[in-house]
């Protein structure tokens, strides 16, 4: 039986990780999957905004935030610099303020950006395969955790920068209860990093729904996973369009 992972100390009082609401690229990727379209989404990944549904999801996240106990919920926010993440936080914050919820200090950290796909930025899978069948085959062979597109990042690379972020955050904000607003790749990397040294890389990436909340309890010494990809606050939105990975 392999030994248990060695979980490094972390002085945070708690950690929540929110994936941004549905984006216009999520919608485009879903449509491309249905139609087999091989045309990339135009523009830069960091400029992709929320869809109409994503903006509604951000408001629902604001309801969730306003419902947190003042002495138990987040007291600091760190956000990805990408537009869809910033818009998610702005929607959350505005709604929480309307409901008399906490008004939190917010920082932006570049290490929370989405996974970079290099030359295949904003390419749906069919578009990647149409552009480079050999590269698509390599992606299938090595698996999503280890696949590094030309000029881009593997999830292993994302985990390195996210791990450094967590380490710095624990030293800079001991005892703070931190809300991270970012991307599915960042949330997956957080799960792997916080599982500790010796944690096994996932054979399949765990799903992280848009506008979901994952939570780690903190005691000032370690963070322990308490909830993953929770979407209970989105129950009233279940009749609206679903989401996909981007």
């Amino acid at each position: 039986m392999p030994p248990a992972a060695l979980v490094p100390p972390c002085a945070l009082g708690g950690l929540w990780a929110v994936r941004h609401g549905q984006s216009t690229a999520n919608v485009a990727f879903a449509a491309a999957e249905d139609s087999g379209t091989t045309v990339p989404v135009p523009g830069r990944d960091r400029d992709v905004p929320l869809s109409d549904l994503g903006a509604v999801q951000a408001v629902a996240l604001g309801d969730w935030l306003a419902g947190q106990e003042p002495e138990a919920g987040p007291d600091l926010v760190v956000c990805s610099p990408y537009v869809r993440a910033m818009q998610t936080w702005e929607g959350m914050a505005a709604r929480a303020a309307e409901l008399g919820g906490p008004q939190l200090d917010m920082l932006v950290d570049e290490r929370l950006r989405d996974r970079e796909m290099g030359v295949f930025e904003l390419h749906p899978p069919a578009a990647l395969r149409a552009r480079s069948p050999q590269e698509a085959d390599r992606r299938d062979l090595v698996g999503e955790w280890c696949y590094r597109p030309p000029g881009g990042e593997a999830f292993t690379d994302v985990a390195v920068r996210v791990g450094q972020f967590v380490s710095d955050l624990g030293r800079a904000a001991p005892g703070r209860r931190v809300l991270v607003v970012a991307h599915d790749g960042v949330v997956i990397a957080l799960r792997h990093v916080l599982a500790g040294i010796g944690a096994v890389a996932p054979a399949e990436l765990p799903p992280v729904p848009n506008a979901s909340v994952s939570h780690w309890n903190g005691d000032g010494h370690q963070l322990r996973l308490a909830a993953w990809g929770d979407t209970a606050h989105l129950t009233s939105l279940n009749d609206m369009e679903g989401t996909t990975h981007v």
Side-chain angles (χ1 to χ4, degrees), residues 92-108:
M92 288 178 68
R95 177 60 172 171
E98 287 178 5
L99 299 176
Q103 299 184 43
L104 307 180
D105 292 332
M106 190 272 283
L107 300 171
V108 176

Side-chain angles (χ1 to χ4, degrees), residues 47-207:
D47 299 330
V48 170
L50 293 180
S51 67
D52 290 343
L53 173 58
V56 174
Q57 290 173 333
V59 172
L61 282 164
D63 292 338
W64 167 84
L65 181 60
Q68 302 303 300
E69 294 294 332
E71 299 304 317
D75 63 13
L76 174 67
V77 179
V78 189
C79 191
S80 160
Y82 281 25
V83 167
R84 55 191 179 273
M86 297 287 288
Q87 289 179 336
T88 299
W89 167 242
E90 289 164 0
M92 288 178 68
R95 177 60 172 171
E98 287 178 5
L99 299 176
Q103 299 184 43
L104 307 180
D105 292 332
M106 190 272 283
L107 300 171
V108 176
D109 196 288
E110 185 68 27
R111 289 170 292 185
L112 297 180
R113 67 189 183 276
D114 206 354
R115 175 191 180 190
E116 295 179 349
M117 290 300 292
V119 299
F120 298 120
E121 184 173 14
L122 293 178
H123 279 55
L128 188 158
R129 180 165 289 280
R131 177 172 174 178
S132 179
Q134 289 182 326
E135 197 65 26
D137 289 343
R138 188 171 74 87
R139 185 179 192 175
D140 293 341
L141 177 65
V142 303
E144 200 61 32
W145 182 256
C146 293
Y147 172 68
R148 182 180 293 111
E153 296 178 301
F155 276 97
T156 53
D157 301 313
V158 178
V160 170
R161 56 175 161 88
V162 168
Q164 186 61 61
F165 166 78
V166 170
S167 179
D168 289 350
L169 185 63
R171 291 196 303 270
R176 301 294 296 270
R177 302 181 304 275
V178 180
L179 171 64
V180 165
V181 183
H183 311 271
D184 56 346
V186 170
V187 182
I188 291 168
L190 279 170
R191 178 170 174 164
H192 181 68
V193 167
L194 294 173
I197 298 166
V200 177
E204 295 185 5
L205 301 181

